[in-house]
Amino acid sequence: MLLIEPHRNHRGIWRIKFSYEMGEPFSMAATQASIMASSLHEIGEVELAEEIDDAMRIAARYASM
C-alpha cells in the first residue's frame, strides 16, 4: 500500500481510499475503516492503524466544513 487518504465520492460522501503500486485504488466507508483500524491495533499493526486513523480524522474535518 502506497497511500491511505480521505476521498470524497461522487455523492459527496467522505471515504478512505487505499492506493496501491499496481491496480486500482480501493475505497471504503469510514465506519468500515474504523473497524479495520481497531482490528489492526488489536493485532499490533499500529503504524497502519494510525495511518487509517489519521485519514479518518482528516475526512471528518473536511466533512464538517
Side-chain angles (χ1 to χ4, degrees), residues 1-3 7 11 14-18 25-27 29-31 35 37-38 40 42 49 53 59 61 63:
M1 203 168 335
L2 292 178
L3 183 63
H7 166 73
R11 291 182 175 165
W14 284 96
R15 298 174 59 85
I16 306 304
K17 181 171 73 172
F18 299 83
F26 173 75
S27 174
T31 53
I35 292 167
S38 183
L40 288 167
E42 288 177 11
D53 289 337
R61 185 176 62 215

Side-chain angles (χ1 to χ4, degrees), residues 1-55:
M1 203 168 335
L2 292 178
L3 183 63
I4 300 171
E5 63 185 344
H7 166 73
R8 189 166 53 183
N9 69 10
H10 65 281
R11 291 182 175 165
I13 298 170
W14 284 96
R15 298 174 59 85
I16 306 304
K17 181 171 73 172
F18 299 83
S19 298
Y20 301 91
E21 196 170 314
M22 306 280 276
E24 293 294 315
F26 173 75
S27 174
M28 70 171 54
T31 53
Q32 291 173 308
S34 176
I35 292 167
M36 186 170 136
S38 183
S39 295
L40 288 167
H41 276 292
E42 288 177 11
I43 63 169
E45 292 291 335
V46 177
E47 186 176 324
L48 182 56
E50 288 178 351
E51 285 185 53
I52 295 168
D53 289 337
D54 289 343

